[in-house]
Amino acid sequence: SACSSRFVLSQMHPMWQEPLEVPGGERQSPIDISIRKSVFDPNLKPLVTRYDPRTCQQIWNNGYSFLVEYDDRTDKSTLHGGPLEDQFRLCQFHFHWGENNNWGSEHTVDRHLYPAELHLVHWNSDKYSLFEEAVMEDNGLAVIGVFMKVGKRHEGLQKLVDALPAVRHKDSVVEFTKFDPSCLLPQNTNEYWTYAGSLTTPPLTEAVTWIIMKQPIEVSHDQLAVFRSLLFTSAEEEVQKSMVNNFRVQQSLKDRTVRSSFN
Ligand SMILES: COc1ccc([C@H]2OC(=S)NC2=O)c(OC)c1
Ligand SMILES: [Zn+2]
């Protein structure tokens, strides 16, 4: 699918150096979400996700995370509502995690770190015709962030976990079909925070309307351990590096307000 835009991601390497200045740099992600500083907005609508598992295509290890990629050539898997004015098309989801269960998420809530964070990536198909176009526009992307905490095994995630050994190395791809990503959403999707932000890896473009779920999902310790068995490095490289700590450091809120859909 277009949304992986291989040229961009392939230039990344695990410990990419943070660029000192990002063009604009007024709305960078991730951030710490301060509950008491967020502002309740009663006009925020419920989120509406309509995902068709038949659009699920493959899993790709891009050397920074692993992406589950969807066919985004038609409006079959979509997101609208919440803070969004337009309809957005699902193109991929991926995760960020740590080397242990003490850290790994990109966003934090009152400085609380989760062991991992899921990103469901959508682009504005009302205004643009390709992910590559949308990624350069300030209303181009909508990413749903879901925190993951260690607890009971997540049955829906297990199908994905079982496929990961096939994409252990950077640039490996495996067919992966009929997966409904709504099974990875918490049961309550009406409580979320939303703010204007950016991609958290190069190109770091300030194109993302963030929708961060208040309720985390539970996954087991063993399921997270399989994430950590992935490698940043390709099969040819002599020194293999575990794919862990693939998260960006927190960015300044600057002149932004985080809104909440709940009081
Ligand atoms: C070119 O496509 C990209 C590039 C980077 C990211 C990073 O930004 C966030 S958010 N997570 C990431 O890993 C991306 O995710 C939507 C998509
Ligand atoms: Zn991400």
Side-chain angles (χ1 to χ4, degrees), residues 12-238:
M12 272 190 309
H13 48 85
M15 307 305 163
W16 53 276
Q17 293 308 312
E18 285 270 347
L20 292 176
E21 278 308 308
V22 175
E26 297 306 311
R27 50 174 282 190
Q28 288 292 295
S29 294
I31 59 168
D32 174 54
I33 295 166
S34 162
I35 294 179
R36 63 184 181 78
K37 286 185 194 157
S38 61
V39 176
F40 169 58
D41 179 351
N43 301 319
L44 285 172
K45 298 179 181 58
L47 271 186
V48 182
T49 54
R50 292 192 188 118
Y51 295 145
D52 180 344
R54 290 170 301 179
T55 56
C56 190
Q57 291 182 316
Q58 62 188 23
I59 306 174
W60 172 45
N61 178 332
N62 69 3
Y64 186 69
S65 182
F66 64 91
L67 281 65
V68 179
E69 298 183 294
Y70 285 74
D71 175 4
D72 60 357
R73 289 171 299 179
T74 62
D75 260 346
K76 283 220 182 75
S77 289
T78 60
L79 163 68
H80 70 271
L84 305 171
E85 304 289 318
D86 297 319
Q87 175 154 280
F88 288 68
R89 206 177 276 181
L90 174 71
C91 60
Q92 52 112 322
F93 69 83
H94 62 271
F95 303 82
H96 303 265
W97 61 91
E99 65 191 81
N100 58 48
N101 292 333
N102 301 310
W103 63 75
S105 61
E106 297 214 299
H107 291 87
T108 51
V109 180
D110 286 348
R111 299 287 167 199
H112 176 77
L113 290 152
Y114 287 90
E117 183 174 330
L118 158 66
H119 289 162
L120 291 147
V121 183
H122 313 74
W123 54 272
N124 189 329
S125 54
D126 281 348
K127 295 257 180 352
Y128 311 108
S129 48
L130 277 178
F131 171 84
E132 268 82 358
E133 267 180 73
V135 79
M136 306 309 286
E137 306 295 335
D138 62 13
N139 60 354
L141 303 181
V143 180
I144 296 175
V146 181
F147 294 117
M148 297 158 78
K149 62 185 254 192
V150 178
K152 62 182 185 308
R153 188 173 122 120
H154 192 296
E155 293 310 327
L157 184 71
Q158 193 54 39
K159 180 185 173 191
L160 180 50
V161 167
D162 289 337
L164 293 184
V167 289
R168 193 150 183 264
H169 288 100
K170 175 181 175 190
D171 297 333
S172 46
V173 178
V174 68
E175 185 185 57
F176 188 72
T177 56
K178 296 189 282 299
F179 185 81
D180 178 357
S182 43
C183 79
L184 298 177
L185 293 172
Q187 85 249 46
N188 179 356
T189 58
N190 288 331
E191 297 197 334
Y192 59 82
W193 295 282
T194 182
Y195 79 97
S198 74
L199 296 181
T200 62
T201 67
L204 298 171
T205 42
E206 300 184 330
V208 181
T209 298
W210 278 98
I211 300 164
I212 309 280
M213 291 293 133
K214 180 186 178 205
Q215 187 183 13
I217 58 169
E218 282 190 36
V219 300
S220 71
H221 173 91
D222 290 354
Q223 289 178 313
L224 281 179
V226 178
F227 281 26
R228 300 186 189 109
S229 73
L230 295 174
L231 300 169
F232 281 131
T233 43
S234 58
E236 295 73 37
E237 294 177 64
E238 296 76 53

